[in-house]
Amino acid sequence: MAESFQLKAIISAADRATPALKAIAKSAQGTRKYLVDIGNAASGFATKIGLPVGILSTIAAGFSIGAIKNAVTAFAEAGEAIYKGSLKAGLSVEEYQRWSYVAKQSGVEAESLTMGIGKLNRNIGLAAAGKNKDLSGLFQKLGISARDANGQLKAGADLLPALADAFVRNKNPVVQARMGMALFGKAWQEMAPLLMEGGEGIDKMQKRFKLLKSAMDLDTVKGAKEFGDQMKDLEIVTKGFQMTIAKDLVPVLAPMIEEFIQWAAANRKVVA
Protein backbone atom coordinates (compact mmCIF):
# COMPACT_ATOMS: atom_id res chain seq x y z
CA MET A 1 0.00 0.00 0.00
CA ALA A 2 2.84 2.39 0.89
CA GLU A 3 4.58 1.68 -2.39
CA SER A 4 1.39 2.33 -4.31
CA PHE A 5 0.87 5.60 -2.50
CA GLN A 6 4.42 6.77 -3.19
CA LEU A 7 4.13 5.85 -6.86
CA LYS A 8 0.90 7.80 -7.15
CA ALA A 9 2.59 10.78 -5.50
CA ILE A 10 5.37 10.73 -8.08
CA ILE A 11 2.88 10.46 -10.94
CA SER A 12 0.92 13.34 -9.44
CA ALA A 13 4.08 15.44 -9.19
CA ALA A 14 4.92 14.70 -12.80
CA ASP A 15 1.42 15.74 -13.81
CA ARG A 16 1.87 19.05 -12.03
CA ALA A 17 5.12 19.64 -13.89
CA THR A 18 3.66 18.71 -17.29
CA PRO A 19 2.08 22.10 -18.11
CA ALA A 20 5.39 23.88 -17.48
CA LEU A 21 7.30 21.36 -19.55
CA LYS A 22 4.79 21.70 -22.40
CA ALA A 23 5.18 25.47 -22.33
CA ILE A 24 8.96 25.11 -22.56
CA ALA A 25 8.63 22.67 -25.46
CA LYS A 26 6.28 25.05 -27.30
CA SER A 27 8.72 27.92 -26.81
CA ALA A 28 11.59 25.77 -28.09
CA GLN A 29 9.58 24.88 -31.21
CA GLY A 30 8.95 28.54 -31.85
CA THR A 31 12.64 29.31 -31.42
CA ARG A 32 13.64 26.55 -33.82
CA LYS A 33 11.18 27.88 -36.42
CA TYR A 34 12.59 31.39 -35.97
CA LEU A 35 16.13 30.15 -36.54
CA VAL A 36 15.07 28.17 -39.61
CA ASP A 37 13.40 31.30 -41.03
CA ILE A 38 16.62 33.24 -40.46
CA GLY A 39 18.60 30.52 -42.18
CA ASN A 40 16.27 30.52 -45.19
CA ALA A 41 16.39 34.31 -45.40
CA ALA A 42 20.20 34.24 -45.26
CA SER A 43 20.32 31.67 -48.05
CA GLY A 44 18.00 33.78 -50.19
CA PHE A 45 20.07 36.87 -49.53
CA ALA A 46 23.29 35.02 -50.42
CA THR A 47 21.76 33.86 -53.72
CA LYS A 48 20.69 37.38 -54.64
CA ILE A 49 24.14 38.87 -54.08
CA GLY A 50 25.94 35.90 -55.60
CA LEU A 51 27.74 34.93 -52.37
CA PRO A 52 28.15 31.18 -51.77
CA VAL A 53 26.18 30.00 -48.75
CA GLY A 54 29.28 28.23 -47.41
CA ILE A 55 31.23 31.48 -47.23
CA LEU A 56 28.29 33.28 -45.62
CA SER A 57 28.06 30.51 -43.02
CA THR A 58 31.75 30.86 -42.26
CA ILE A 59 31.38 34.61 -41.79
CA ALA A 60 28.30 34.13 -39.61
CA ALA A 61 30.16 31.62 -37.45
CA GLY A 62 32.64 34.33 -36.57
CA PHE A 63 29.76 36.48 -35.35
CA SER A 64 27.90 33.83 -33.40
CA ILE A 65 26.16 34.75 -30.18
CA GLY A 66 29.04 33.31 -28.18
CA ALA A 67 31.66 35.15 -30.22
CA ILE A 68 29.77 38.43 -29.96
CA LYS A 69 29.39 38.00 -26.20
CA ASN A 70 33.12 37.30 -25.82
CA ALA A 71 34.04 40.28 -28.01
CA VAL A 72 31.75 42.65 -26.11
CA THR A 73 32.99 41.40 -22.74
CA ALA A 74 36.62 41.71 -23.81
CA PHE A 75 35.96 45.24 -25.09
CA ALA A 76 34.41 46.32 -21.79
CA GLU A 77 37.19 44.70 -19.73
CA ALA A 78 39.91 46.25 -21.88
CA GLY A 79 38.36 49.71 -21.60
CA GLU A 80 38.11 49.47 -17.82
CA ALA A 81 41.67 48.14 -17.49
CA ILE A 82 43.05 50.96 -19.65
CA TYR A 83 41.04 53.61 -17.80
CA LYS A 84 42.06 52.46 -14.32
CA GLY A 85 45.64 51.70 -15.34
CA SER A 86 46.14 55.15 -16.84
CA LEU A 87 44.89 56.80 -13.66
CA LYS A 88 47.18 54.72 -11.44
CA ALA A 89 50.21 55.32 -13.64
CA GLY A 90 49.50 59.02 -14.18
CA LEU A 91 49.38 58.61 -17.96
CA SER A 92 46.90 59.50 -20.67
CA VAL A 93 44.94 56.54 -22.01
CA GLU A 94 46.98 56.63 -25.24
CA GLU A 95 50.29 56.75 -23.35
CA TYR A 96 49.20 53.91 -21.10
CA GLN A 97 48.31 51.69 -24.05
CA ARG A 98 51.64 52.48 -25.71
CA TRP A 99 53.61 51.65 -22.59
CA SER A 100 51.50 48.56 -21.96
CA TYR A 101 52.51 47.34 -25.42
CA VAL A 102 56.18 47.99 -24.66
CA ALA A 103 55.85 46.20 -21.33
CA LYS A 104 54.12 43.18 -22.86
CA GLN A 105 56.73 42.89 -25.60
CA SER A 106 59.41 43.04 -22.89
CA GLY A 107 57.74 40.38 -20.75
CA VAL A 108 56.49 42.76 -18.06
CA GLU A 109 52.94 42.45 -16.73
CA ALA A 110 50.62 45.45 -17.09
CA GLU A 111 50.09 45.58 -13.31
CA SER A 112 53.87 45.68 -12.74
CA LEU A 113 54.15 48.52 -15.26
CA THR A 114 51.40 50.48 -13.54
CA MET A 115 52.97 49.99 -10.12
CA GLY A 116 56.47 50.75 -11.39
CA ILE A 117 55.59 54.03 -13.12
CA GLY A 118 53.43 55.04 -10.17
CA LYS A 119 56.37 54.46 -7.79
CA LEU A 120 58.73 56.35 -10.10
CA ASN A 121 56.39 59.37 -10.23
CA ARG A 122 56.12 59.37 -6.45
CA ASN A 123 59.89 59.14 -5.97
CA ILE A 124 60.54 61.95 -8.48
CA GLY A 125 58.17 64.15 -6.51
CA LEU A 126 59.94 63.29 -3.25
CA ALA A 127 63.35 63.97 -4.80
CA ALA A 128 62.15 67.39 -6.05
CA ALA A 129 60.99 68.18 -2.51
CA GLY A 130 64.38 67.16 -1.10
CA LYS A 131 62.96 64.02 0.54
CA ASN A 132 64.71 61.42 -1.62
CA LYS A 133 68.40 62.29 -1.67
CA ASP A 134 69.35 58.89 -3.13
CA LEU A 135 67.32 59.57 -6.27
CA SER A 136 68.49 63.19 -6.50
CA GLY A 137 72.09 61.99 -6.33
CA LEU A 138 71.41 59.30 -8.94
CA PHE A 139 69.91 61.80 -11.38
CA GLN A 140 72.88 64.11 -10.91
CA LYS A 141 75.36 61.27 -11.45
CA LEU A 142 73.57 60.07 -14.58
CA GLY A 143 73.22 63.59 -15.97
CA ILE A 144 69.44 63.30 -16.12
CA SER A 145 67.29 66.32 -15.32
CA ALA A 146 63.96 65.71 -13.62
CA ARG A 147 62.65 69.06 -14.91
CA ASP A 148 61.84 70.29 -18.40
CA ALA A 149 62.86 73.59 -20.03
CA ASN A 150 60.00 75.36 -18.22
CA GLY A 151 61.06 74.06 -14.82
CA GLN A 152 58.17 71.60 -14.60
CA LEU A 153 58.78 68.11 -13.25
CA LYS A 154 58.93 65.46 -15.94
CA ALA A 155 56.67 62.43 -15.72
CA GLY A 156 58.34 59.14 -14.91
CA ALA A 157 57.35 57.65 -18.27
CA ASP A 158 59.21 60.48 -20.05
CA LEU A 159 62.40 59.59 -18.16
CA LEU A 160 62.18 55.84 -18.72
CA PRO A 161 64.15 55.69 -22.02
CA ALA A 162 67.11 57.59 -20.49
CA LEU A 163 66.92 55.49 -17.33
CA ALA A 164 66.82 52.31 -19.42
CA ASP A 165 70.02 53.43 -21.17
CA ALA A 166 71.63 53.83 -17.74
CA PHE A 167 70.72 50.24 -16.85
CA VAL A 168 72.16 48.96 -20.13
CA ARG A 169 75.41 50.86 -19.59
CA ASN A 170 75.85 49.62 -16.03
CA LYS A 171 76.32 45.87 -16.28
CA ASN A 172 77.12 45.44 -12.59
CA PRO A 173 74.04 43.80 -10.99
CA VAL A 174 74.78 45.47 -7.66
CA VAL A 175 74.76 48.92 -9.28
CA GLN A 176 71.59 48.03 -11.19
CA ALA A 177 69.90 46.96 -7.97
CA ARG A 178 70.91 50.20 -6.24
CA MET A 179 69.56 52.30 -9.12
CA GLY A 180 66.41 50.20 -9.30
CA MET A 181 65.64 50.61 -5.61
CA ALA A 182 66.15 54.39 -5.80
CA LEU A 183 63.83 54.64 -8.82
CA PHE A 184 61.12 52.04 -8.28
CA GLY A 185 61.56 50.64 -4.79
CA LYS A 186 60.98 46.90 -4.52
CA ALA A 187 59.03 46.99 -7.79
CA TRP A 188 62.24 47.50 -9.79
CA GLN A 189 62.84 43.78 -10.35
CA GLU A 190 59.49 43.49 -12.13
CA MET A 191 60.50 46.40 -14.36
CA ALA A 192 63.99 45.03 -15.07
CA PRO A 193 63.15 43.26 -18.39
CA LEU A 194 61.74 46.51 -19.81
CA LEU A 195 64.69 48.57 -18.57
CA MET A 196 67.18 46.19 -20.16
CA GLU A 197 65.66 46.95 -23.56
CA GLY A 198 67.44 50.29 -23.42
CA GLY A 199 66.14 53.56 -24.79
CA GLU A 200 66.59 52.45 -28.38
CA GLY A 201 64.62 49.25 -27.86
CA ILE A 202 61.82 51.15 -26.12
CA ASP A 203 61.66 53.72 -28.90
CA LYS A 204 61.49 50.99 -31.54
CA MET A 205 58.58 49.25 -29.78
CA GLN A 206 56.70 52.52 -29.34
CA LYS A 207 57.02 53.25 -33.04
CA ARG A 208 55.82 49.73 -33.79
CA PHE A 209 52.74 50.27 -31.62
CA LYS A 210 51.97 53.52 -33.46
CA LEU A 211 52.28 51.65 -36.76
CA LEU A 212 49.75 49.04 -35.59
CA LYS A 213 47.15 51.78 -34.91
CA SER A 214 45.42 49.70 -32.27
CA ALA A 215 45.04 52.32 -29.55
CA MET A 216 41.59 53.21 -28.24
CA ASP A 217 40.94 56.94 -27.87
CA LEU A 218 39.66 58.48 -24.65
CA ASP A 219 35.99 58.53 -25.71
CA THR A 220 36.15 54.86 -26.72
CA VAL A 221 37.82 53.89 -23.44
CA LYS A 222 35.22 55.79 -21.43
CA GLY A 223 32.44 54.23 -23.49
CA ALA A 224 33.86 50.76 -22.89
CA LYS A 225 34.14 51.42 -19.16
CA GLU A 226 30.58 52.72 -18.96
CA PHE A 227 29.36 49.69 -20.89
CA GLY A 228 31.25 47.48 -18.46
CA ASP A 229 29.50 49.22 -15.56
CA GLN A 230 26.15 48.58 -17.27
CA MET A 231 27.07 44.90 -17.66
CA LYS A 232 27.75 44.73 -13.93
CA ASP A 233 24.36 46.32 -13.25
CA LEU A 234 22.76 43.82 -15.61
CA GLU A 235 24.38 40.98 -13.70
CA ILE A 236 22.94 42.30 -10.45
CA VAL A 237 19.46 42.64 -12.00
CA THR A 238 19.70 39.17 -13.56
CA LYS A 239 20.62 37.64 -10.22
CA GLY A 240 17.64 39.44 -8.73
CA PHE A 241 15.38 37.82 -11.34
CA GLN A 242 16.90 34.44 -10.59
CA MET A 243 16.25 34.86 -6.89
CA THR A 244 12.65 35.88 -7.59
CA ILE A 245 12.06 32.87 -9.84
CA ALA A 246 13.75 30.53 -7.37
CA LYS A 247 11.64 31.89 -4.54
CA ASP A 248 8.46 30.95 -6.41
CA LEU A 249 9.74 27.61 -7.67
CA VAL A 250 11.18 26.23 -4.43
CA PRO A 251 7.79 25.76 -2.70
CA VAL A 252 6.61 23.78 -5.74
CA LEU A 253 9.79 21.78 -6.35
CA ALA A 254 10.62 20.96 -2.72
CA PRO A 255 7.54 18.72 -2.12
CA MET A 256 8.10 17.01 -5.48
CA ILE A 257 11.72 16.25 -4.60
CA GLU A 258 10.77 15.03 -1.14
CA GLU A 259 8.07 12.76 -2.59
CA PHE A 260 10.60 11.26 -4.97
CA ILE A 261 13.13 10.74 -2.16
CA GLN A 262 10.51 8.97 -0.05
CA TRP A 263 9.43 6.78 -2.97
CA ALA A 264 13.04 5.89 -3.84
CA ALA A 265 13.76 5.00 -0.20
CA ALA A 266 10.62 2.83 0.03
CA ASN A 267 11.34 1.08 -3.28
CA ARG A 268 15.08 0.62 -3.05
CA LYS A 269 14.93 -2.91 -4.47
CA VAL A 270 12.89 -1.76 -7.45
CA VAL A 271 15.26 1.13 -8.18
CA ALA A 272 18.32 -1.17 -7.85
Side-chain angles (χ1 to χ4, degrees):
M1 181 68 70
E3 292 181 0
S4 176
F5 173 77
Q6 294 295 343
L7 183 57
K8 288 180 179 179
I10 295 299
I11 293 173
S12 175
D15 288 341
R16 292 199 299 272
T18 297
L21 294 175
K22 286 182 177 180
I24 293 173
K26 184 177 181 181
S27 176
Q29 289 175 353
T31 302
R32 283 196 296 272
K33 182 179 182 302
Y34 175 69
L35 293 175
V36 169
D37 290 342
I38 290 178
N40 292 336
S43 298
F45 174 73
T47 302
K48 288 181 180 179
I49 64 175
L51 183 66
V53 176
I55 295 179
L56 186 63
S57 299
T58 302
I59 296 173
F63 292 92
S64 64
I65 296 299
I68 292 173
K69 176 181 179 295
N70 292 338
V72 168
T73 301
F75 172 73
E77 290 177 349
E80 183 162 2
I82 292 169
Y83 183 79
K84 291 182 177 179
S86 65
L87 290 178
K88 292 178 181 178
L91 299 170
S92 69
V93 295
E94 194 279 330
E95 289 173 331
Y96 181 76
Q97 290 173 87
R98 187 171 69 245
W99 277 107
S100 293
Y101 173 80
V102 173
K104 185 175 182 179
Q105 295 296 94
S106 306
V108 175
E109 297 292 333
E111 187 63 30
S112 298
L113 171 74
T114 301
M115 183 180 297
I117 293 181
K119 287 270 189 181
L120 179 57
N121 285 335
R122 179 177 182 276
N123 287 333
I124 290 173
L126 291 174
K131 297 181 180 180
N132 191 331
K133 294 183 179 180
D134 289 340
L135 186 55
S136 296
L138 177 62
F139 281 157
Q140 186 174 3
K141 187 174 182 179
L142 295 175
I144 295 175
S145 175
R147 296 184 182 276
D148 60 22
N150 297 318
Q152 299 297 316
L153 284 175
K154 295 178 182 178
D158 294 334
L159 295 176
L160 271 180
L163 294 172
D165 281 337
F167 272 82
V168 173
R169 287 196 306 268
N170 291 278
K171 304 296 184 181
N172 190 318
V174 176
V175 175
Q176 289 178 343
R178 185 182 302 168
M179 289 194 300
M181 284 296 294
L183 293 164
F184 305 100
K186 294 180 180 179
W188 88 267
Q189 290 176 310
E190 300 295 328
M191 293 287 289
L194 187 154
L195 294 168
M196 295 312 297
E197 294 287 345
E200 184 178 350
I202 290 173
D203 182 61
K204 186 181 296 185
M205 285 184 282
Q206 288 187 332
K207 288 180 178 177
R208 176 69 175 176
F209 178 76
K210 187 175 182 180
L211 180 66
L212 296 175
K213 297 181 179 179
S214 60
M216 298 165 63
D217 60 30
L218 179 58
D219 289 339
T220 302
V221 169
K222 286 184 175 180
K225 180 185 178 299
E226 290 173 2
F227 181 77
D229 292 340
Q230 289 176 324
M231 291 289 285
K232 292 174 185 176
D233 289 343
L234 178 61
E235 183 179 357
I236 293 173
V237 171
T238 301
K239 286 183 178 179
F241 283 142
Q242 291 173 346
M243 294 301 103
T244 300
I245 293 171
K247 182 185 69 174
D248 294 335
L249 283 178
V250 166
V252 177
L253 294 176
M256 293 171 59
I257 293 172
E258 182 60 28
E259 288 172 1
F260 178 76
I261 292 172
Q262 294 297 331
W263 177 84
N267 298 274
R268 188 178 300 275
K269 293 182 179 180
V270 176
V271 174

